[in-house]
Amino acid sequence: MKKGARPSQIINNFFTFGTIVMISIVITLYSKYFGQNQNEPLPLPSKLKVLACFDENSKVRFTNSTLLQEASKALSKGFYKIDGGYIKPLNAKSYIQEYISLDELDSFFIESIKTAKAKNPAKYITIKYEVIENDKNDTTLEEKKKFNFGALQTSIRLNGKEILWVFTDFRFFDKIELRKITDCTIRTLKANAN
């Protein structure tokens, strides 16, 4: 500093330097202990696996691996509730209800679980599914080849927390295919609970 600098400039420079040092320390500590390093991938539990019964048209996501064992136990005791619905096309006539009823789809899940539902359990797992019927688009041959009739989206939840989410497109409506998808979903949950 210059000789003859004003005391107010010296104090101002000291506080500026102190502020820069404190902010640097806070940023360093935050990034080390609280921040997620963007270069590191998120750790996935090693035992989570997607079964081969799902094809390339399926998307599977585990969102809470710690509750898988509890969910499997609840299923084996019959502590579950099945909640299904349809999502109909916006710009076309819906045919999905003519092909399959929600009761029949519920029965596919019950057959896969292999345990009858308990009457009025206090706690239960929720299997929420939606049969999605896509809009038909008949404009070109290429679009017809890419067209899928619909999809089955399933969300398995325990105490309102999603554990497993599965989304599978199907090109043609087929009850056997729907049965395979529901069975594969339940087997995936059970396989990852062990």
PDB file of all heavy atoms in Angstrom, residues 76-103:
ATOM      1  N   SER A  76     -46.646 -61.035  -0.873  1.00  0.00           N
ATOM      2  CA  SER A  76     -46.779 -62.451  -0.499  1.00  0.00           C
ATOM      3  C   SER A  76     -47.860 -62.668   0.558  1.00  0.00           C
ATOM      4  O   SER A  76     -48.424 -63.755   0.657  1.00  0.00           O
ATOM      5  CB  SER A  76     -45.446 -63.005  -0.018  1.00  0.00           C
ATOM      6  OG  SER A  76     -45.062 -62.387   1.189  1.00  0.00           O
ATOM      7  N   LYS A  77     -48.170 -61.638   1.340  1.00  0.00           N
ATOM      8  CA  LYS A  77     -49.226 -61.755   2.351  1.00  0.00           C
ATOM      9  C   LYS A  77     -50.591 -61.307   1.828  1.00  0.00           C
ATOM     10  O   LYS A  77     -51.578 -61.374   2.531  1.00  0.00           O
ATOM     11  CB  LYS A  77     -48.857 -60.926   3.581  1.00  0.00           C
ATOM     12  CG  LYS A  77     -47.652 -61.464   4.316  1.00  0.00           C
ATOM     13  CD  LYS A  77     -47.299 -60.579   5.482  1.00  0.00           C
ATOM     14  CE  LYS A  77     -46.070 -61.099   6.191  1.00  0.00           C
ATOM     15  NZ  LYS A  77     -45.662 -60.240   7.292  1.00  0.00           N
ATOM     16  N   GLY A  78     -50.625 -60.817   0.601  1.00  0.00           N
ATOM     17  CA  GLY A  78     -51.892 -60.370   0.027  1.00  0.00           C
ATOM     18  C   GLY A  78     -52.241 -58.933   0.370  1.00  0.00           C
ATOM     19  O   GLY A  78     -53.377 -58.504   0.166  1.00  0.00           O
ATOM     20  N   PHE A  79     -51.288 -58.177   0.895  1.00  0.00           N
ATOM     21  CA  PHE A  79     -51.536 -56.787   1.272  1.00  0.00           C
ATOM     22  C   PHE A  79     -51.285 -55.880   0.076  1.00  0.00           C
ATOM     23  O   PHE A  79     -50.290 -55.161   0.019  1.00  0.00           O
ATOM     24  CB  PHE A  79     -50.660 -56.360   2.446  1.00  0.00           C
ATOM     25  CG  PHE A  79     -50.872 -57.142   3.711  1.00  0.00           C
ATOM     26  CD1 PHE A  79     -49.894 -57.185   4.678  1.00  0.00           C
ATOM     27  CD2 PHE A  79     -52.045 -57.829   3.940  1.00  0.00           C
ATOM     28  CE1 PHE A  79     -50.074 -57.893   5.854  1.00  0.00           C
ATOM     29  CE2 PHE A  79     -52.244 -58.545   5.106  1.00  0.00           C
ATOM     30  CZ  PHE A  79     -51.258 -58.581   6.072  1.00  0.00           C
ATOM     31  N   TYR A  80     -52.180 -55.916  -0.877  1.00  0.00           N
ATOM     32  CA  TYR A  80     -52.026 -55.077  -2.063  1.00  0.00           C
ATOM     33  C   TYR A  80     -53.380 -54.625  -2.564  1.00  0.00           C
ATOM     34  O   TYR A  80     -54.413 -55.205  -2.248  1.00  0.00           O
ATOM     35  CB  TYR A  80     -51.249 -55.802  -3.171  1.00  0.00           C
ATOM     36  CG  TYR A  80     -51.892 -57.059  -3.682  1.00  0.00           C
ATOM     37  CD1 TYR A  80     -52.793 -57.035  -4.745  1.00  0.00           C
ATOM     38  CD2 TYR A  80     -51.577 -58.294  -3.119  1.00  0.00           C
ATOM     39  CE1 TYR A  80     -53.375 -58.194  -5.214  1.00  0.00           C
ATOM     40  CE2 TYR A  80     -52.161 -59.452  -3.593  1.00  0.00           C
ATOM     41  CZ  TYR A  80     -53.050 -59.405  -4.636  1.00  0.00           C
ATOM     42  OH  TYR A  80     -53.626 -60.557  -5.108  1.00  0.00           O
ATOM     43  N   LYS A  81     -53.320 -53.564  -3.324  1.00  0.00           N
ATOM     44  CA  LYS A  81     -54.506 -52.982  -3.936  1.00  0.00           C
ATOM     45  C   LYS A  81     -54.150 -52.723  -5.388  1.00  0.00           C
ATOM     46  O   LYS A  81     -53.053 -52.238  -5.685  1.00  0.00           O
ATOM     47  CB  LYS A  81     -54.846 -51.681  -3.224  1.00  0.00           C
ATOM     48  CG  LYS A  81     -55.993 -50.915  -3.809  1.00  0.00           C
ATOM     49  CD  LYS A  81     -56.173 -49.609  -3.034  1.00  0.00           C
ATOM     50  CE  LYS A  81     -57.017 -48.650  -3.818  1.00  0.00           C
ATOM     51  NZ  LYS A  81     -57.084 -47.335  -3.225  1.00  0.00           N
ATOM     52  N   ILE A  82     -55.050 -53.059  -6.287  1.00  0.00           N
ATOM     53  CA  ILE A  82     -54.813 -52.846  -7.709  1.00  0.00           C
ATOM     54  C   ILE A  82     -55.736 -51.734  -8.189  1.00  0.00           C
ATOM     55  O   ILE A  82     -56.939 -51.780  -7.963  1.00  0.00           O
ATOM     56  CB  ILE A  82     -55.042 -54.138  -8.510  1.00  0.00           C
ATOM     57  CG1 ILE A  82     -54.091 -55.227  -8.011  1.00  0.00           C
ATOM     58  CG2 ILE A  82     -54.834 -53.889  -9.992  1.00  0.00           C
ATOM     59  CD1 ILE A  82     -54.315 -56.585  -8.625  1.00  0.00           C
ATOM     60  N   ASP A  83     -55.143 -50.755  -8.836  1.00  0.00           N
ATOM     61  CA  ASP A  83     -55.890 -49.596  -9.314  1.00  0.00           C
ATOM     62  C   ASP A  83     -55.571 -49.390 -10.790  1.00  0.00           C
ATOM     63  O   ASP A  83     -54.472 -48.962 -11.134  1.00  0.00           O
ATOM     64  CB  ASP A  83     -55.498 -48.364  -8.489  1.00  0.00           C
ATOM     65  CG  ASP A  83     -56.238 -47.115  -8.894  1.00  0.00           C
ATOM     66  OD1 ASP A  83     -57.294 -47.230  -9.552  1.00  0.00           O
ATOM     67  OD2 ASP A  83     -55.760 -46.010  -8.560  1.00  0.00           O
ATOM     68  N   GLY A  84     -56.520 -49.718 -11.648  1.00  0.00           N
ATOM     69  CA  GLY A  84     -56.273 -49.630 -13.084  1.00  0.00           C
ATOM     70  C   GLY A  84     -57.164 -48.612 -13.770  1.00  0.00           C
ATOM     71  O   GLY A  84     -58.177 -48.183 -13.226  1.00  0.00           O
ATOM     72  N   GLY A  85     -56.748 -48.236 -14.968  1.00  0.00           N
ATOM     73  CA  GLY A  85     -57.542 -47.292 -15.734  1.00  0.00           C
ATOM     74  C   GLY A  85     -57.133 -47.283 -17.194  1.00  0.00           C
ATOM     75  O   GLY A  85     -56.132 -47.890 -17.591  1.00  0.00           O
ATOM     76  N   TYR A  86     -57.926 -46.589 -17.984  1.00  0.00           N
ATOM     77  CA  TYR A  86     -57.664 -46.446 -19.412  1.00  0.00           C
ATOM     78  C   TYR A  86     -57.268 -45.001 -19.712  1.00  0.00           C
ATOM     79  O   TYR A  86     -57.795 -44.074 -19.106  1.00  0.00           O
ATOM     80  CB  TYR A  86     -58.921 -46.735 -20.236  1.00  0.00           C
ATOM     81  CG  TYR A  86     -59.475 -48.127 -20.107  1.00  0.00           C
ATOM     82  CD1 TYR A  86     -60.693 -48.353 -19.468  1.00  0.00           C
ATOM     83  CD2 TYR A  86     -58.814 -49.213 -20.658  1.00  0.00           C
ATOM     84  CE1 TYR A  86     -61.226 -49.622 -19.371  1.00  0.00           C
ATOM     85  CE2 TYR A  86     -59.344 -50.489 -20.560  1.00  0.00           C
ATOM     86  CZ  TYR A  86     -60.551 -50.694 -19.915  1.00  0.00           C
ATOM     87  OH  TYR A  86     -61.068 -51.950 -19.820  1.00  0.00           O
ATOM     88  N   ILE A  87     -56.381 -44.845 -20.656  1.00  0.00           N
ATOM     89  CA  ILE A  87     -56.119 -43.529 -21.241  1.00  0.00           C
ATOM     90  C   ILE A  87     -56.469 -43.667 -22.708  1.00  0.00           C
ATOM     91  O   ILE A  87     -55.795 -44.371 -23.460  1.00  0.00           O
ATOM     92  CB  ILE A  87     -54.656 -43.081 -21.046  1.00  0.00           C
ATOM     93  CG1 ILE A  87     -54.366 -42.932 -19.562  1.00  0.00           C
ATOM     94  CG2 ILE A  87     -54.401 -41.782 -21.804  1.00  0.00           C
ATOM     95  CD1 ILE A  87     -52.965 -42.486 -19.242  1.00  0.00           C
ATOM     96  N   LYS A  88     -57.541 -43.008 -23.086  1.00  0.00           N
ATOM     97  CA  LYS A  88     -58.084 -43.155 -24.435  1.00  0.00           C
ATOM     98  C   LYS A  88     -57.454 -42.162 -25.399  1.00  0.00           C
ATOM     99  O   LYS A  88     -56.950 -41.120 -24.982  1.00  0.00           O
ATOM    100  CB  LYS A  88     -59.601 -42.976 -24.391  1.00  0.00           C
ATOM    101  CG  LYS A  88     -60.281 -44.027 -23.531  1.00  0.00           C
ATOM    102  CD  LYS A  88     -61.763 -43.792 -23.431  1.00  0.00           C
ATOM    103  CE  LYS A  88     -62.381 -44.834 -22.510  1.00  0.00           C
ATOM    104  NZ  LYS A  88     -63.800 -44.625 -22.339  1.00  0.00           N
ATOM    105  N   PRO A  89     -57.505 -42.467 -26.686  1.00  0.00           N
ATOM    106  CA  PRO A  89     -56.926 -41.537 -27.674  1.00  0.00           C
ATOM    107  C   PRO A  89     -57.720 -40.233 -27.735  1.00  0.00           C
ATOM    108  O   PRO A  89     -58.919 -40.212 -27.496  1.00  0.00           O
ATOM    109  CB  PRO A  89     -57.011 -42.308 -28.987  1.00  0.00           C
ATOM    110  CG  PRO A  89     -58.075 -43.312 -28.778  1.00  0.00           C
ATOM    111  CD  PRO A  89     -58.074 -43.649 -27.324  1.00  0.00           C
ATOM    112  N   LEU A  90     -57.018 -39.171 -28.096  1.00  0.00           N
ATOM    113  CA  LEU A  90     -57.666 -37.869 -28.178  1.00  0.00           C
ATOM    114  C   LEU A  90     -58.389 -37.658 -29.508  1.00  0.00           C
ATOM    115  O   LEU A  90     -59.439 -37.034 -29.553  1.00  0.00           O
ATOM    116  CB  LEU A  90     -56.626 -36.752 -27.997  1.00  0.00           C
ATOM    117  CG  LEU A  90     -55.919 -36.713 -26.657  1.00  0.00           C
ATOM    118  CD1 LEU A  90     -54.819 -35.665 -26.670  1.00  0.00           C
ATOM    119  CD2 LEU A  90     -56.908 -36.436 -25.548  1.00  0.00           C
ATOM    120  N   ASN A  91     -57.800 -38.161 -30.598  1.00  0.00           N
ATOM    121  CA  ASN A  91     -58.317 -37.846 -31.929  1.00  0.00           C
ATOM    122  C   ASN A  91     -58.880 -39.053 -32.672  1.00  0.00           C
ATOM    123  O   ASN A  91     -59.024 -39.014 -33.887  1.00  0.00           O
ATOM    124  CB  ASN A  91     -57.195 -37.225 -32.781  1.00  0.00           C
ATOM    125  CG  ASN A  91     -56.653 -35.965 -32.145  1.00  0.00           C
ATOM    126  OD1 ASN A  91     -57.409 -35.149 -31.649  1.00  0.00           O
ATOM    127  ND2 ASN A  91     -55.354 -35.819 -32.133  1.00  0.00           N
ATOM    128  N   ALA A  92     -59.174 -40.118 -31.975  1.00  0.00           N
ATOM    129  CA  ALA A  92     -59.702 -41.309 -32.636  1.00  0.00           C
ATOM    130  C   ALA A  92     -60.683 -41.996 -31.698  1.00  0.00           C
ATOM    131  O   ALA A  92     -60.717 -41.732 -30.497  1.00  0.00           O
ATOM    132  CB  ALA A  92     -58.575 -42.256 -33.008  1.00  0.00           C
ATOM    133  N   LYS A  93     -61.455 -42.895 -32.278  1.00  0.00           N
ATOM    134  CA  LYS A  93     -62.400 -43.672 -31.477  1.00  0.00           C
ATOM    135  C   LYS A  93     -61.630 -44.696 -30.653  1.00  0.00           C
ATOM    136  O   LYS A  93     -60.679 -45.298 -31.119  1.00  0.00           O
ATOM    137  CB  LYS A  93     -63.388 -44.393 -32.398  1.00  0.00           C
ATOM    138  CG  LYS A  93     -64.454 -45.134 -31.641  1.00  0.00           C
ATOM    139  CD  LYS A  93     -65.453 -45.775 -32.574  1.00  0.00           C
ATOM    140  CE  LYS A  93     -66.548 -46.383 -31.746  1.00  0.00           C
ATOM    141  NZ  LYS A  93     -66.776 -47.755 -31.935  1.00  0.00           N
ATOM    142  N   SER A  94     -62.038 -44.880 -29.418  1.00  0.00           N
ATOM    143  CA  SER A  94     -61.374 -45.818 -28.525  1.00  0.00           C
ATOM    144  C   SER A  94     -61.958 -47.220 -28.672  1.00  0.00           C
ATOM    145  O   SER A  94     -63.173 -47.389 -28.706  1.00  0.00           O
ATOM    146  CB  SER A  94     -61.514 -45.359 -27.081  1.00  0.00           C
ATOM    147  OG  SER A  94     -60.942 -46.303 -26.217  1.00  0.00           O
ATOM    148  N   TYR A  95     -61.076 -48.213 -28.756  1.00  0.00           N
ATOM    149  CA  TYR A  95     -61.496 -49.609 -28.855  1.00  0.00           C
ATOM    150  C   TYR A  95     -60.990 -50.448 -27.694  1.00  0.00           C
ATOM    151  O   TYR A  95     -61.332 -51.621 -27.581  1.00  0.00           O
ATOM    152  CB  TYR A  95     -60.961 -50.226 -30.157  1.00  0.00           C
ATOM    153  CG  TYR A  95     -61.530 -49.582 -31.390  1.00  0.00           C
ATOM    154  CD1 TYR A  95     -60.811 -48.622 -32.085  1.00  0.00           C
ATOM    155  CD2 TYR A  95     -62.793 -49.930 -31.859  1.00  0.00           C
ATOM    156  CE1 TYR A  95     -61.329 -48.019 -33.214  1.00  0.00           C
ATOM    157  CE2 TYR A  95     -63.318 -49.328 -32.989  1.00  0.00           C
ATOM    158  CZ  TYR A  95     -62.581 -48.382 -33.663  1.00  0.00           C
ATOM    159  OH  TYR A  95     -63.099 -47.784 -34.786  1.00  0.00           O
ATOM    160  N   ILE A  96     -60.194 -49.883 -26.832  1.00  0.00           N
ATOM    161  CA  ILE A  96     -59.503 -50.654 -25.807  1.00  0.00           C
ATOM    162  C   ILE A  96     -60.458 -51.353 -24.845  1.00  0.00           C
ATOM    163  O   ILE A  96     -60.223 -52.487 -24.447  1.00  0.00           O
ATOM    164  CB  ILE A  96     -58.479 -49.774 -25.049  1.00  0.00           C
ATOM    165  CG1 ILE A  96     -57.510 -50.626 -24.258  1.00  0.00           C
ATOM    166  CG2 ILE A  96     -59.145 -48.779 -24.151  1.00  0.00           C
ATOM    167  CD1 ILE A  96     -56.486 -51.304 -25.083  1.00  0.00           C
ATOM    168  N   GLN A  97     -61.560 -50.719 -24.491  1.00  0.00           N
ATOM    169  CA  GLN A  97     -62.505 -51.334 -23.556  1.00  0.00           C
ATOM    170  C   GLN A  97     -63.210 -52.534 -24.169  1.00  0.00           C
ATOM    171  O   GLN A  97     -63.641 -53.417 -23.444  1.00  0.00           O
ATOM    172  CB  GLN A  97     -63.527 -50.307 -23.078  1.00  0.00           C
ATOM    173  CG  GLN A  97     -62.930 -49.316 -22.104  1.00  0.00           C
ATOM    174  CD  GLN A  97     -63.919 -48.264 -21.677  1.00  0.00           C
ATOM    175  OE1 GLN A  97     -64.377 -47.486 -22.503  1.00  0.00           O
ATOM    176  NE2 GLN A  97     -64.234 -48.233 -20.402  1.00  0.00           N
ATOM    177  N   GLU A  98     -63.302 -52.564 -25.496  1.00  0.00           N
ATOM    178  CA  GLU A  98     -63.907 -53.713 -26.158  1.00  0.00           C
ATOM    179  C   GLU A  98     -62.976 -54.917 -26.128  1.00  0.00           C
ATOM    180  O   GLU A  98     -63.435 -56.050 -26.173  1.00  0.00           O
ATOM    181  CB  GLU A  98     -64.254 -53.358 -27.610  1.00  0.00           C
ATOM    182  CG  GLU A  98     -65.298 -52.274 -27.729  1.00  0.00           C
ATOM    183  CD  GLU A  98     -65.486 -51.811 -29.169  1.00  0.00           C
ATOM    184  OE1 GLU A  98     -65.041 -52.505 -30.092  1.00  0.00           O
ATOM    185  OE2 GLU A  98     -66.087 -50.729 -29.346  1.00  0.00           O
ATOM    186  N   TYR A  99     -61.668 -54.670 -26.072  1.00  0.00           N
ATOM    187  CA  TYR A  99     -60.697 -55.757 -26.093  1.00  0.00           C
ATOM    188  C   TYR A  99     -60.487 -56.392 -24.730  1.00  0.00           C
ATOM    189  O   TYR A  99     -60.348 -57.595 -24.615  1.00  0.00           O
ATOM    190  CB  TYR A  99     -59.345 -55.263 -26.617  1.00  0.00           C
ATOM    191  CG  TYR A  99     -59.355 -54.933 -28.080  1.00  0.00           C
ATOM    192  CD1 TYR A  99     -58.999 -53.670 -28.512  1.00  0.00           C
ATOM    193  CD2 TYR A  99     -59.702 -55.869 -29.031  1.00  0.00           C
ATOM    194  CE1 TYR A  99     -58.999 -53.344 -29.854  1.00  0.00           C
ATOM    195  CE2 TYR A  99     -59.707 -55.561 -30.380  1.00  0.00           C
ATOM    196  CZ  TYR A  99     -59.348 -54.298 -30.787  1.00  0.00           C
ATOM    197  OH  TYR A  99     -59.349 -53.986 -32.112  1.00  0.00           O
ATOM    198  N   ILE A 100     -60.394 -55.553 -23.711  1.00  0.00           N
ATOM    199  CA  ILE A 100     -60.088 -56.086 -22.377  1.00  0.00           C
ATOM    200  C   ILE A 100     -60.720 -55.209 -21.300  1.00  0.00           C
ATOM    201  O   ILE A 100     -60.753 -53.987 -21.426  1.00  0.00           O
ATOM    202  CB  ILE A 100     -58.562 -56.206 -22.163  1.00  0.00           C
ATOM    203  CG1 ILE A 100     -58.266 -57.046 -20.922  1.00  0.00           C
ATOM    204  CG2 ILE A 100     -57.897 -54.852 -22.094  1.00  0.00           C
ATOM    205  CD1 ILE A 100     -56.860 -57.582 -20.886  1.00  0.00           C
ATOM    206  N   SER A 101     -61.181 -55.860 -20.254  1.00  0.00           N
ATOM    207  CA  SER A 101     -61.758 -55.114 -19.135  1.00  0.00           C
ATOM    208  C   SER A 101     -60.691 -54.921 -18.059  1.00  0.00           C
ATOM    209  O   SER A 101     -59.685 -55.646 -18.012  1.00  0.00           O
ATOM    210  CB  SER A 101     -62.947 -55.875 -18.543  1.00  0.00           C
ATOM    211  OG  SER A 101     -62.485 -57.048 -17.898  1.00  0.00           O
ATOM    212  N   LEU A 102     -60.932 -53.967 -17.194  1.00  0.00           N
ATOM    213  CA  LEU A 102     -59.990 -53.733 -16.101  1.00  0.00           C
ATOM    214  C   LEU A 102     -59.966 -54.911 -15.136  1.00  0.00           C
ATOM    215  O   LEU A 102     -58.919 -55.238 -14.575  1.00  0.00           O
ATOM    216  CB  LEU A 102     -60.338 -52.436 -15.364  1.00  0.00           C
ATOM    217  CG  LEU A 102     -60.167 -51.147 -16.170  1.00  0.00           C
ATOM    218  CD1 LEU A 102     -60.590 -49.938 -15.341  1.00  0.00           C
ATOM    219  CD2 LEU A 102     -58.743 -50.980 -16.652  1.00  0.00           C
ATOM    220  N   ASP A 103     -61.110 -55.570 -14.954  1.00  0.00           N
ATOM    221  CA  ASP A 103     -61.151 -56.750 -14.089  1.00  0.00           C
ATOM    222  C   ASP A 103     -60.254 -57.861 -14.627  1.00  0.00           C
ATOM    223  O   ASP A 103     -59.579 -58.559 -13.865  1.00  0.00           O
ATOM    224  CB  ASP A 103     -62.589 -57.267 -13.943  1.00  0.00           C
ATOM    225  CG  ASP A 103     -63.455 -56.336 -13.114  1.00  0.00           C
ATOM    226  OD1 ASP A 103     -62.900 -55.570 -12.292  1.00  0.00           O
ATOM    227  OD2 ASP A 103     -64.693 -56.357 -13.285  1.00  0.00           O
TER     228      ASP A 103
END
